[in-house]
């Protein structure tokens, strides 16, 4: 398979056509070998328009995915990442999003709570030369306070719960992007820290797999 051609088709057919105009984001997606970040048996699907599973669901554990290229690109563009920004990528999975962010930011913390995935992400990031990305292992809902505050926090999936802990790790003027709500009613959100407050607004309709720890508890019904 000609992965370079597939990459160009992904960018031209999925990313550019979805109002992604940031040349830095487009250039990074054209450079990164997305097939390197999916299971080998799924390499041929790496550039298709869906969330690609990188782990299987197990009892009590959600499957983990790479976000759709279009959704990821629009979230990253909305975050307006500067060359000196410090970024936290929450739920980096196999590391693709962190590698993308690493081409835009000054430094990236790739947070993963699954030790096996964290190890895989570290190997993938090293393979693509993502030297400004550091993999950290810990609960996703706790963020990574050791390196806080951040200019940008990327929630690499969907959440059904409040994000107060992550909001507390933003710098003044910092941004958090992610998907709020369960499919099919999800919304991509952009949150911004202003003084002691954080305000958010929807930026486009989107669906994404829920991240571990970000699932709302079942509601009690009489």
């Amino acid at each position: 398979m000609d992965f370079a051609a597939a990459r160009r088709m992904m960018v031209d057919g999925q990313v550019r056509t979805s109002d992604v105009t940031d040349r830095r984001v487009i250039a990074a997606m054209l450079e990164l070998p997305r097939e390197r970040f999916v299971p080998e048996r799924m390499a041929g699907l790496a550039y298709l328009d869906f969330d690609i599973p990188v782990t299987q669901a197990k009892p009590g554990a959600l499957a983990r995915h790479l976000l759709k290229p279009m959704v990821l690109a629009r979230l990253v563009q909305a975050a307006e990442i500067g060359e000196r920004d410090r970024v936290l990528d929450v739920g980096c999975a196999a590391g693709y999003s962190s590698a993308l962010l690493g081409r835009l930011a000054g430094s990236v913390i790739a947070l993963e709570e699954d030790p096996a995935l964290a190890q895989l992400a570290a190997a993938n990031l090293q393979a693509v030369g993502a030297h400004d990305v550091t993999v950290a292992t810990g609960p996703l809902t706790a963020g990574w306070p050791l390196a806080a505050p951040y200019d940008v926090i990327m929630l690499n999936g969907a959440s059904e719960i409040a994000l107060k802990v992550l909001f507390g790790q933003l710098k003044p003027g910092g941004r958090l992007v992610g998907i709020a709500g369960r499919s099919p009613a999800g919304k991509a959100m952009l949150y911004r820290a202003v003084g002691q407050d954080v305000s958010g607004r929807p930026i486009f309709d989107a669906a994404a797999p829920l991240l571990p720890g970000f699932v709302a508890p079942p509601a009690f019904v009489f």
Side-chain angles (χ1 to χ4, degrees):
M1 181 174 178
D2 186 343
F3 289 116
R7 218 159 25 247
R8 289 193 298 272
M9 291 177 63
M10 175 193 76
V11 170
D12 291 341
Q14 300 174 44
V15 176
R16 293 182 190 270
T17 57
S18 300
D19 297 324
V20 177
T21 57
D22 188 317
R23 293 181 180 179
R24 296 171 66 229
V25 175
I26 290 171
M29 296 191 89
L30 283 170
E31 292 170 2
L32 276 174
R34 187 172 164 93
E35 71 277 6
R36 179 71 175 76
F37 296 86
V38 303
E40 186 175 355
R41 69 183 186 281
M42 302 185 73
L45 308 178
Y47 296 97
L48 299 184
D49 182 25
F50 74 105
D51 303 302
I52 299 181
V54 293
T55 68
Q56 295 182 342
K58 299 176 183 178
L62 297 169
R64 303 298 299 282
H65 300 74
L66 299 191
L67 291 180
K68 292 179 183 178
M70 176 274 288
V71 171
L72 176 63
R74 292 189 70 178
L75 287 174
V76 172
Q77 176 173 267
E80 298 179 332
I81 298 168
E83 294 179 356
R84 297 183 179 180
D85 281 354
R86 294 166 55 83
V87 179
L88 174 65
D89 186 19
V90 177
C92 71
Y96 176 76
S97 57
S98 299
L100 176 63
L101 294 166
R103 278 166 162 70
L104 307 173
S107 63
V108 178
I109 300 292
L111 179 62
E112 184 48 62
E113 67 179 33
D114 180 331
L117 266 183
Q119 185 175 9
L120 174 63
N124 288 338
L125 289 162
Q126 182 178 16
V128 300
H131 303 301
D132 294 325
V133 182
T134 302
V135 178
T137 307
L140 302 185
T141 52
W144 194 249
L146 292 177
Y150 302 98
D151 298 284
V152 173
I153 297 177
M154 168 85 184
L155 189 64
N156 211 340
S159 172
E160 296 180 315
I161 65 172
L163 304 174
K164 291 182 180 179
V165 173
L166 296 180
F167 290 158
Q169 296 179 22
L170 286 172
K171 288 182 179 179
R175 291 84 66 201
L176 185 150
V177 290
I179 308 298
R182 185 185 293 262
S183 178
K187 298 282 185 183
M189 298 291 296
L190 170 63
Y191 299 91
R192 191 178 297 270
V194 181
Q196 300 299 314
D197 300 318
V198 175
S199 60
R201 63 180 178 86
I203 47 178
F204 59 95
D205 292 336
L210 289 163
L211 284 172
F214 291 89
V215 180
F220 180 76
V221 179
F222 289 99

